């Protein structure tokens, strides 16, 4: 029966198995962090290393995901990535210390770095551009079941069983994904694949790890100050060397030249700022609800999961909204509105009626999902198919790096606020500066989106200007 489904329905549903597993894993972990901290005898603020380590691993290994798929075949890499992610989940479940968990999360990140970008690459190469919006909606609706189930499921397992079960549940999902990939995904690959830019990969990896780990450790007494300074300096130097290398190399592992496409440039730049803001939410909200409000992990999960319901609801409306208003207007508007909703989380107090909290999270989830759908699609609107793998790698790396910086930003501001208050226990007021800051960062994305032409991505969205732009003018903009 599945084999008779159109490609723009079948392929997204298969790739969604990987997205479901990854999104479920991240949301259940965020809800369970305070309980894991108690189990390890560690400070809950230090446990955000488990989230950050995973995101850094994604950012480091995503750049070679496109090359791996081209060289060894999309089906083989996609299936292997799911297997590595599943093995990493088992290692997480067996961890007894913070550093064992961090190392296991790095292994998970290696699998996730190949799993989701390669799955998205299969989709982009197999579906016509006119079907991009519908295909992405089919892809994200099943994947968003993960965030819906994640908070209440993670809270339930943590409260009434053990936090270790949040990782064991990935095993059957991973096995199902491997079987579906082997049966239904074509082994797409390129016939002429350039050699891997190993030197560039090492430079990029050192740069990303140094900057993010250094930023993560600032002011939190995780590492001595001189070590933090060395990490930041090494990361900055390696990043600068990579930029220089990429301009000279024939086939750099991260093709910065792809930023010549205005839609991809806006998607990466604006999406980076927006995800820095949103990336802190899964860390801050459960911590505030459980530590400052005194709620159980299950109660916290039942509050936060409503944002994912709003996200799923939006998927039904995404196509007509984009067709009516176009990418530029939707991106600007959703960035500004989302920033307000993010900042509003900082106004929650233990006596705030749950109905108000639920309404704020529901509407915020709706608008954020519209932003994510739009920015993920518009970035590939003008990319030729022979450059899709490199564009997917570049976009995926920027996405994961921004999320890791978002977690670090939220945790760092919270650490400063808590230290200034001098109270050993976090209170609701301690979270306000962090939420206000990430809301402001998210709104800055609108400044990037303003540079897009009004008809950006019209072939994908179906939006038409009153005065349509000629094909020749579009080609000139793309070549700028």
């Amino acid at each position: 029966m599945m084999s008779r489904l159109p490609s723009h329905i079948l392929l997204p549903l298969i790739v969604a198995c990987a997205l479901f597993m990854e999104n479920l894993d991240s949301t259940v972990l965020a809800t369970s962090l305070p309980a894991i901290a108690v189990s390890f005898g560690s400070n809950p603020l230090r446990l955000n290393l488990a989230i950050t380590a995973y995101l850094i691993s994604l950012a480091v290994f995503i750049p070679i995901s496109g090359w791996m798929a081209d060289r060894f075949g999309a089906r083989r890499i996609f299936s292997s990535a799911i297997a590595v992610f599943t093995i990493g989940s088992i290692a997480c479940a067996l961890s007894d210390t913070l550093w064992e968990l961090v190392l296991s999360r790095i292994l998970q990140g290696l699998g996730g770095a190949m799993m989701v970008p390669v799955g998205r690459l299969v989709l982009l190469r197999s579906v016509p551009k006119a079907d991009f919006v519908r295909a992405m909606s089919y892809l994200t609706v099943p994947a968003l079941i993960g965030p819906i189930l994640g908070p209440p499921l993670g809270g339930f397992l943590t409260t009434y069983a053990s936090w270790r079960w949040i990782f064991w549940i990935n095993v059957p999902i991973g096995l199902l994904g491997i079987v579906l990939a082997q049966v239904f995904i074509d082994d797409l690959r390129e016939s002429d694949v350039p050699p891997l830019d190993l030197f560039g990969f090492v430079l990029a990896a050192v740069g990303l790890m140094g900057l993010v780990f250094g930023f993560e450790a600032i002011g939190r007494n995780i590492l001595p100050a001189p070590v933090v300074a060395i990490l930041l300096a090494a990361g900055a130097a390696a990043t600068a060397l990579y930029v220089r290398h990429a301009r000279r190399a024939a086939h750099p592992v991260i093709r910065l030249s792809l930023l010549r496409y205005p839609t991809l440039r806006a998607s990466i730049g604006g999406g980076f700022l927006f995800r820095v803001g949103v990336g802190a939410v899964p860390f801050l909200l459960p911590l505030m609800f459980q530590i400052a409000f005194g709620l159980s992990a299950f109660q916290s999960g039942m509050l936060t999961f409503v944002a994912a319901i709003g996200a799923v609801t939006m998927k039904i409306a995404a196509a007509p909204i984009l067709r009516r208003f176009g990418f530029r207007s939707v991106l600007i508007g959703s960035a500004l509105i989302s920033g307000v909703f993010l900042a509003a989380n900082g106004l929650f107090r233990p006596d705030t009626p749950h109905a108000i909290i639920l309404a704020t999270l529901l509407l915020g989830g709706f608008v954020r999902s519209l932003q994510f759908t739009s920015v993920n699609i518009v970035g590939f609107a003008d990319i030729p198919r022979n450059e899709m793998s490199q564009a997917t790698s570049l976009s995926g790396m920027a996405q994961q790096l921004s999320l890791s910086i978002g977690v670090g930003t939220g945790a760092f501001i919270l650490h400063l606020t808590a230290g200034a208050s001098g109270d050993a226990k976090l209170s609701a007021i301690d979270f306000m500066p962090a939420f206000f800051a990430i809301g402001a960062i998210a709104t800055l994305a609108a400044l990037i989106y303003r540079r897009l032409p009004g008809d950006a991505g019209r072939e994908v969205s179906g939006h038409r200007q009153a005065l349509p732009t000629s094909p020749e003018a579009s080609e000139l903009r793309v070549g700028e």
Side-chain angles (χ1 to χ4, degrees):
M1 178 179 177
M2 289 188 68
S3 60
R4 294 197 296 269
L5 292 174
S7 62
H8 69 272
I9 298 177
L10 175 60
L11 290 177
L13 291 178
I14 296 173
V15 177
C17 281
L19 282 174
F20 173 82
M21 184 164 58
E22 185 181 50
N23 291 336
L24 178 67
D25 184 86
S26 61
T27 51
V28 295
L29 177 61
T31 303
S32 305
L33 280 183
I36 299 176
V38 172
S39 175
F40 289 167
S42 179
N43 187 317
L45 287 177
R46 294 190 68 200
L47 259 294
N48 78 296
L49 277 173
I51 296 177
T52 305
Y54 176 78
L55 296 175
I56 292 173
S57 183
L58 285 177
V60 168
F61 292 108
I62 278 176
I64 62 172
S65 61
W67 182 88
M68 295 284 287
D70 289 343
R71 175 66 178 81
F72 299 105
R75 181 176 62 201
R76 178 183 298 178
I77 297 301
F78 186 63
S79 300
S80 300
I82 296 177
V84 171
F85 187 91
T86 305
I87 293 171
S89 299
I90 296 173
C92 288
L94 298 175
S95 298
D96 290 318
T97 67
L98 171 60
W99 291 110
E100 288 179 5
L101 181 63
V102 168
L103 291 175
S104 299
R105 292 284 288 170
I106 291 174
L107 180 61
Q108 272 191 313
L110 172 59
M114 303 291 169
M115 187 168 64
V116 176
V118 173
R120 187 181 292 117
L121 176 61
V122 170
L123 192 63
L124 292 171
R125 283 182 171 173
S126 305
V127 175
K129 286 189 176 182
D131 290 327
F132 270 11
V133 174
R134 282 188 295 172
M136 283 298 208
S137 296
Y138 286 124
L139 169 65
T140 51
V141 168
L144 283 171
I145 297 175
I148 291 177
L149 293 179
L153 179 60
F156 179 82
L157 292 174
T158 302
T159 302
Y160 300 109
S162 169
W163 62 264
R164 299 181 188 277
W165 281 100
I166 68 177
F167 296 107
W168 288 117
I169 57 179
N170 286 333
V171 177
I173 303 171
L175 294 176
L176 175 63
I178 292 172
V179 171
L180 291 177
Q182 290 295 317
V183 174
F184 294 108
I185 290 183
D186 294 332
D187 203 23
L188 302 172
R189 68 178 72 197
E190 293 293 320
S191 57
D192 185 19
V193 181
L196 176 63
D197 177 22
L198 185 59
F199 180 66
F201 171 67
V202 172
L203 284 177
V206 172
L208 291 169
M209 286 190 294
L211 289 174
V212 178
F213 267 127
F215 180 79
E216 170 71 21
I218 291 178
R220 277 184 249 174
N221 299 320
I222 297 174
L223 295 172
V227 176
V228 174
I230 291 173
L231 283 172
L232 291 171
T239 301
L241 287 174
Y242 178 78
V243 172
R244 181 183 179 186
H245 166 79
R247 292 173 177 171
R248 301 178 177 183
H251 304 286
V253 64
I254 303 173
R255 286 189 50 192
L256 301 178
S257 61
L258 289 170
L259 295 176
R260 68 184 183 276
Y261 295 103
T263 46
L264 181 62
R265 187 167 63 243
S267 173
I268 290 177
F272 188 94
L273 290 171
F274 188 79
R275 287 184 176 89
V276 167
V278 174
V281 175
F283 171 72
L284 291 173
L285 267 184
L287 204 61
M288 182 173 71
F289 287 153
Q290 295 177 51
I291 302 298
F293 289 15
L295 302 179
S296 69
F298 181 61
Q299 291 171 321
S300 170
M302 292 303 293
L303 284 176
T304 55
F305 94 105
V306 73
I309 294 181
V312 170
T313 305
M314 189 286 309
K315 297 305 177 185
I316 302 173
I321 290 175
L322 287 170
R323 189 163 49 249
R324 171 67 179 83
F325 297 102
F327 280 111
R328 183 180 184 272
S329 297
V330 169
L331 286 168
I332 293 174
S334 59
L336 295 175
I337 297 172
S338 292
V340 173
F341 276 109
L342 289 175
N345 293 334
L347 301 177
F348 295 157
R349 295 295 179 268
D351 59 350
T352 302
H354 283 189
I356 294 179
I357 294 177
L358 289 171
T360 303
L361 296 180
L362 179 70
L363 294 174
F366 182 94
V367 181
R368 286 202 303 272
S369 184
L370 180 60
Q371 167 80 192
F372 283 139
T373 298
S374 303
V375 79
N376 285 339
I377 297 173
V378 74
F380 301 98
D382 298 324
I383 304 297
R385 289 189 178 271
N386 64 335
E387 294 186 306
M388 279 291 187
S389 61
Q390 294 89 351
T392 302
S393 298
L394 177 60
S395 177
M397 182 207 67
Q399 288 180 24
Q400 300 308 328
L401 180 60
S402 62
L403 290 174
S404 67
I405 292 177
V407 174
T409 300
F412 178 56
I413 296 174
L414 182 60
H415 175 81
L416 292 179
T417 306
S421 68
D423 194 343
K425 182 181 178 181
L426 291 170
S427 63
I429 197 71
D430 292 330
F431 288 84
M432 186 170 18
F435 279 115
F436 282 9
I438 65 174
I441 292 172
T443 60
L444 292 177
L447 298 177
I448 306 295
Y449 301 140
R450 286 184 71 250
R451 302 174 184 175
L452 282 170
D455 62 347
R458 65 184 183 186
E459 182 183 354
V460 176
S461 67
H463 176 64
R464 291 291 182 269
Q465 295 279 84
L467 295 174
T469 307
S470 67
E472 292 78 12
S474 296
E475 291 176 1
L476 286 174
R477 273 198 305 271
V478 169
E480 288 176 348

